[in-house]
């Protein structure tokens, strides 16, 4: 498939989807959203572009990407376990720090957020892996 | 050290990350078996802890039960962890020699440990929804493992496996939803407590039947087993053996967990149903195994037949019967995997799984014959190997409790088992090699590294028979804990100090 309309649309929609994906990721702790949903949306953005420009090309470009996404995501999840262990708490206990900002209430960062980021990337990786495997020709 | 309870999940998780980072088959050769060895040590240590404390529970993330997710290890979980770790180790060693060139070892071990993580997670979790998640982790990894060789029939088997198991997951999820709607909790111990004191617990039947179907599909019991023989013979023998030893047994584990801990409100109906299903499963699997002439197919149907025995123990529902079911499960995991390993060796030496095309292996390789005889006798229930005691306990419990029908079926199915084992023995080992294309290719001599996993599992089977008293002691404790889950509930809900 080689449609100019789809290609132009994909170019802009990709970024729109990624922005919404990050929004979903950020609001996820107390509202609907989170790493899984955000990851699916971001994965969709990449896949959408892939279909517009012919998925096999993307495959060439991103040969090893799914593995890196999954590995990096799982590693971030693993990192999010460590603070609770070093603090002597039960594993996976949420620990938060508040970074003060000149305006507003400050930014709260914590291990659950790191966990969510890990899930975000792992889900992107898995989505890409599925799509690449399904669009590949049989050897 | 209660924190060790999380390690059966964390170790495979870290191993997956390691394998994703190193990306090398040379290092994976070491990481795989060593990681699996570590799991054996860990699970034995957990069993020792359980021996000391009875039940150990870890509240994840510091959220107290029933609000957070609790990881619990009791005798049943600990025994399952130990035996599955032994199997995982032997398969990890087996994979080094028996995986074909086309499958990258690094890739295989990533999904191998993915399966391990799901498996261990299912064994230690004390939360119904968390259990569902671990089931999905297992399902994903096992689908990838089936289709790893990328041949047409593997994809076909994989799709059948995936489709039927997804139906199971759907039933599971529906059951979880109903359960949560009715009780407002998904913590198993909390559920048990709520349902115990509720005279309307009979309303649970609607959720129980959904779980029954879901676990029935996972465990491959009588009318729901079709995915198993459709898929188990397609992947490489390493992967078939892994599935044969572990996958269906998780279904059995969840059956035992759910129907002893909280679905105990309507025993006449459920235990009767379990017994009928158990009998039908035994006979249907045994008959189908008798009809086939391809080793992997015979063994696949035979898995189903053996599931019946485990469900039978649950259906009789006395401490002795539950102990028998647990004993049978752990014996069967070891012996069943071992028969698959030997059929892989036959294939490697002769190049086929068809019994009609092979023969004379006894003269060619007496060691292989011995290695087959051990698990085959264990499965058939010949003393002094593990299977004899497993069946003996179940049959004794059946007679004591007056369940003569199912006991008779169990004894007769033993004959069917013996028949399929003797069939493999006669065809592959005793009969002369038929004059065909396989006879012309020279017999491939196997090395010790190829025999080793089977030697290990064979030794475990024999030791379980010789020291049956000790194993029985452990399973009896498991049976006592399961039929009287007070300690489990109290430990999880933090009313006793661990």
């Amino acid at each position: 498939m080689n449609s100019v309309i789809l290609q132009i649309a994909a170019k802009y929609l990709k970024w729109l989807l990624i922005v919404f994906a990050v929004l979903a990721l950020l609001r996820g702790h107390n509202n609907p959203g989170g790493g899984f949903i955000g990851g699916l949306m971001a994965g969709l953005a990449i896949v959408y572009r892939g279909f517009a420009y012919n998925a096999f090309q993307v495959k060439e470009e991103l040969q090893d990407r799914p593995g890196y996404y999954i590995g990096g995501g799982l590693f971030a999840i693993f990192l999010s376990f460590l603070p609770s262990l070093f603090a002597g708490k039960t594993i996976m206990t949420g620990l938060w720090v508040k970074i003060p900002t000149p305006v507003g209430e400050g930014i709260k960062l914590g291990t659950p957020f790191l966990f969510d980021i890990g899930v975000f990337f792992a889900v992107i990786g898995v989505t890409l892996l599925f799509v690449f495997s399904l669009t590949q020709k049989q050897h | 050290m209660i924190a060790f309870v999380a390690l059966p999940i964390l170790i495979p998780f870290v191993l997956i990350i390691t394998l994703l980072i190193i990306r090398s088959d040379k290092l994976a050769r070491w990481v795989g078996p060593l990681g699996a060895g570590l799991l054996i040590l860990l699970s034995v240590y957990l069993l020792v802890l359980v021996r000391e404390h009875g039940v150990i529970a870890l509240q994840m993330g510091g959220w107290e039960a029933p609000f957070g997710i609790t990881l619990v290890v009791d005798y049943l979980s600990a025994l399952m962890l130990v035996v599955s770790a032994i199997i995982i180790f032997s398969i990890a060693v087996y994979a080094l020699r028996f995986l074909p060139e086309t499958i990258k070892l690094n890739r295989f071990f990533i999904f191998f440990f993915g399966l391990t993580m799901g498996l261990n997670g299912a064994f230690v979790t004390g939360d119904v929804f968390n259990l569902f998640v671990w089931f999905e982790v297992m399902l994903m990894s096992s689908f990838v493992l089936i289709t790893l060789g990328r041949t047409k029939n593997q994809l076909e088997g994989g799709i059948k496996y995936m489709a039927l198991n997804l139906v199971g997951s759907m039933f599971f999820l529906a059951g979880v939803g109903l359960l949560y709607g009715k009780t407002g909790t998904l913590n198993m111990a909390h559920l048990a407590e709520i349902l115990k004191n509720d005279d309307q617990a009979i309303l649970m039947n609607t959720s129980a039947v959904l779980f029954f179907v879901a676990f029935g599909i996972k465990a491959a019991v009588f009318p729901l087993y079709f995915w198993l023989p459709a898929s188990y013979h397609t992947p490489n023998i390493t992967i078939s053996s892994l599935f044969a030893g572990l996958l269906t047994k998780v279904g059995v584990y969840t059956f035992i967990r759910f129907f002893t801990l909280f679905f105990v409100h309507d025993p006449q109906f459920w235990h009767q149903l379990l017994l009928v299903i158990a009998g039908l499963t035994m006979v249907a699997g045994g008959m189908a195994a008798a009809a086939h002439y391809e080793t992997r197919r015979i063994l696949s149907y035979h898995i189903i037949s053996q599931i019946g025995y485990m469900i039978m123990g649950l259906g009789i529902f006395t401490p002795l019967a539950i102990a028998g079911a647990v004993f049978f499960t752990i014996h069967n995991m070891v012996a069943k995997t071992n028969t698959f390993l030997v059929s892989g060796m036959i294939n490697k030496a002769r190049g086929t799984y068809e019994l009609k095309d092979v023969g004379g292996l006894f003269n060619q390789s007496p060691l292989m014959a011995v290695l087959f005889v051990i698990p085959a006798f264990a499965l058939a229930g010949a003393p002094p190997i593990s299977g004899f005691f497993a069946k003996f306990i179940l049959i004794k419990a059946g007679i004591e409790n007056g369940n003569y029908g199912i006991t008779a079926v169990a004894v007769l199915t033993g004959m069917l088992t013996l028949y399929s084992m003797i069939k493999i023995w006669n065809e592959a080992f005793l009969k002369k090699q038929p004059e065909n294309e396989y006879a012309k290719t020279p017999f491939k001599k196997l090395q010790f590294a190829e025999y080793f996993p089977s030697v290990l599992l064979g030794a475990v089977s024999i030791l379980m028979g010789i020291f049956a008293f000790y194993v029985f002691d452990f399973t009896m404790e498991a049976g006592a804990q399961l039929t009287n889950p007070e300690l489990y509930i109290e430990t999880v809900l933090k009313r006793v100090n661990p």
Side-chain angles (χ1 to χ4, degrees):
Chain A
M1 189 166 54
N2 211 346
S3 150
V4 180
I5 301 173
L6 195 62
Q7 284 175 4
I8 301 292
K11 210 165 155 185
Y12 296 103
L13 274 178
K14 182 188 160 198
W15 290 109
L16 198 66
L17 277 168
I18 286 181
V19 167
F20 273 104
V22 174
L23 268 180
L25 168 70
L26 289 177
R27 77 197 288 267
H29 191 59
N30 290 324
N31 292 307
F36 193 87
I37 295 169
L40 279 181
M41 286 164 80
L44 193 68
I46 300 175
V47 170
Y48 191 49
R49 185 174 163 276
F51 277 125
Y53 288 92
N54 197 343
F56 299 111
Q57 270 178 18
V58 180
K59 170 76 183 160
E60 295 294 311
E61 264 173 53
L62 306 172
Q63 197 85 51
D64 277 338
R65 290 283 175 82
Y68 287 126
Y69 276 117
I70 299 173
L74 292 182
F75 190 64
I77 293 175
F78 178 67
L79 284 184
S80 79
F81 295 162
L82 296 181
S84 57
L85 280 183
F86 288 125
K89 301 231 168 92
T90 319
I91 193 163
M92 289 176 85
T93 308
L95 296 173
W96 296 89
V97 286
K98 206 164 190 177
I99 300 167
T101 46
V103 280
E105 293 175 15
I107 303 167
K108 264 176 90 181
L109 285 178
T111 50
F113 182 58
L114 186 58
F115 186 89
D116 251 357
I117 293 176
V119 174
F120 183 81
F121 282 106
V123 170
I124 293 180
V126 171
T127 314
L128 292 184
L129 193 67
F130 281 176
V131 173
F132 287 158
S133 320
L134 289 176
T135 50
Q136 227 171 44
K137 285 192 183 117
Q138 207 181 10
H139 296 304
Chain B
M1 282 300 286
I2 302 300
F4 274 86
V5 176
L7 283 185
I9 302 171
L10 275 186
I11 289 180
F13 183 73
V14 172
L15 287 170
I16 292 171
I17 300 175
T18 318
L19 288 164
L20 276 169
I21 291 170
I22 59 175
R23 293 180 160 264
S24 124
D25 285 353
K26 266 196 192 122
L27 287 173
R29 288 191 89 81
W30 293 99
V31 173
L34 285 180
L38 195 63
L39 279 175
I40 297 187
L41 294 181
L42 169 74
S43 45
V44 169
Y45 179 65
L46 282 176
L47 189 62
V48 172
L49 278 184
V50 167
R51 193 98 179 137
E52 251 170 64
H53 298 283
V55 178
I56 42 180
L58 175 73
Q59 317 285 353
M60 292 296 275
W63 299 96
E64 297 294 322
F67 304 109
I69 291 169
T70 317
L71 301 185
V72 200
V73 178
D74 63 351
Y75 269 102
L76 176 64
S77 304
L79 284 172
M80 296 298 272
L81 281 174
V82 170
V83 177
S84 57
I86 293 172
I87 288 167
I88 283 161
F89 175 71
S90 62
I91 301 277
V93 177
Y94 194 78
L96 304 181
R97 293 290 179 140
F98 282 80
L99 275 186
E101 296 283 312
T102 48
I103 298 180
K104 287 255 189 304
L105 210 55
N106 190 43
R107 212 177 151 76
F108 166 78
F109 273 123
I110 289 174
F111 293 102
F112 175 80
F113 284 116
L115 185 78
T116 309
M117 182 167 74
L119 186 80
N120 287 350
F123 286 150
V124 299
T125 187
D127 182 276
V128 181
F129 189 75
N130 199 229
L131 179 69
F132 173 76
V133 174
W134 293 124
F135 266 11
E136 292 308 295
V137 171
M138 243 180 332
L139 184 59
M140 285 291 166
S141 320
S142 47
F143 176 69
V144 177
L145 283 175
I146 289 184
T147 55
L148 213 49
R150 295 201 174 169
T151 63
K152 202 173 163 192
N153 69 344
Q154 284 180 358
L155 207 58
E156 191 191 324
I159 299 264
K160 282 177 189 160
Y161 170 83
M162 186 78 169
L164 285 169
N165 272 287
L166 274 180
V167 173
S169 300
M170 219 168 65
F171 275 99
F172 194 156
L173 201 57
V176 172
L178 274 183
L179 200 61
Y180 188 68
K182 278 184 253 184
T183 59
T185 183
L186 286 176
N187 184 299
M188 293 185 197
H190 197 210
L191 273 172
E193 198 183 45
I194 291 177
L195 296 181
K196 192 177 59 185
N197 304 320
D198 193 345
D199 50 357
Q200 291 199 314
I202 192 113
L203 293 176
M204 282 300 124
N205 273 354
T206 42
S207 348
V209 80
L210 289 171
F211 283 113
F212 189 90
V213 174
F215 298 157
I217 291 176
K218 300 278 174 201
V221 298
F222 167 61
L224 307 164
Y225 62 67
F226 297 100
W227 59 271
L228 193 152
S231 57
Y232 270 26
H233 65 281
T234 55
N236 178 260
I237 189 70
T238 316
I239 296 158
S240 298
S241 334
L242 181 69
F243 289 4
L246 302 173
L247 283 189
T248 47
K249 277 61 174 186
V250 191
V252 173
Y253 165 83
T254 46
F255 254 124
I256 296 179
R257 178 67 76 209
F258 276 46
F259 284 86
T260 55
L261 193 56
F262 45 89
F263 287 145
V264 285
H265 48 276
D266 193 3
Q268 284 98 348
F269 173 68
W270 286 110
H271 294 166
Q272 214 58 43
L273 181 66
L274 283 169
L275 285 178
V276 171
I277 294 280
L280 287 172
T281 309
M282 281 180 213
V283 175
M287 292 285 203
H292 278 277
Y293 268 90
E294 206 249 36
T295 46
R296 288 177 302 177
R297 282 182 192 266
I298 297 174
L299 294 172
S300 297
Y301 275 109
H302 193 254
I303 295 172
I304 299 167
S305 162
Q306 304 276 300
I307 296 292
Y309 285 90
M310 307 167 197
I311 305 296
M312 164 190 166
L314 181 61
I316 298 170
F317 209 75
T318 58
L320 185 69
I322 306 267
V326 177
F327 198 132
F328 197 94
T329 309
I330 57 181
H331 131 72
N332 188 254
M333 286 165 85
V334 175
K336 192 84 244 174
T337 314
N338 204 353
T339 48
F340 268 86
L341 296 186
V342 176
S343 81
M345 290 180 203
I346 296 176
N347 179 50
K348 187 146 193 165
R350 267 283 170 248
T352 177
Y353 289 102
E354 287 294 339
L355 283 178
K356 291 198 171 96
D357 296 335
V358 293
L361 289 174
F362 185 78
N363 290 332
Q364 300 274 18
S365 169
L367 178 59
M368 200 193 285
V370 172
L371 288 177
F372 176 73
V373 163
I374 295 169
F377 270 30
L379 289 173
I385 315 176
S386 56
F388 169 73
F389 298 97
K391 278 189 184 169
F392 176 75
I393 299 167
L394 279 174
I395 287 168
K396 183 168 186 293
I399 291 173
E400 271 181 6
N401 204 37
N403 301 94
Y404 301 114
I406 188 74
T407 312
V409 173
V411 173
L412 289 177
T413 309
M415 299 290 154
L416 283 176
T417 306
L418 195 61
Y419 171 71
S420 5
M421 289 304 141
I422 287 179
K423 184 165 71 181
I424 300 181
W425 174 250
N426 275 344
E427 295 281 329
F429 291 95
L430 284 189
K431 143 192 111 177
K432 277 211 177 73
Q433 171 71 36
E435 294 301 320
N436 56 17
E437 50 186 312
Y438 299 106
K440 286 173 207 133
T441 51
F443 181 83
K444 192 167 173 301
K445 256 203 146 356
L446 300 184
Q447 290 161 330
F448 180 71
E450 282 150 339
Y451 285 122
F452 172 72
S454 177
V455 172
L456 176 76
L457 290 184
V460 172
S461 277
I462 292 177
L463 289 177
M464 248 157 98
I466 294 174
F467 296 103
F469 178 78
Y470 294 104
V471 184
F472 177 65
D473 199 30
F474 276 102
T475 54
M476 217 32 215
E477 292 278 356
Q481 268 187 354
L482 290 167
T483 41
N484 184 20
E486 280 310 308
L487 183 66
Y488 184 96
I489 298 171
E490 299 293 304
T491 313
V492 173
L493 297 178
K494 278 267 186 153
R495 303 216 186 94
V496 289
N497 287 323

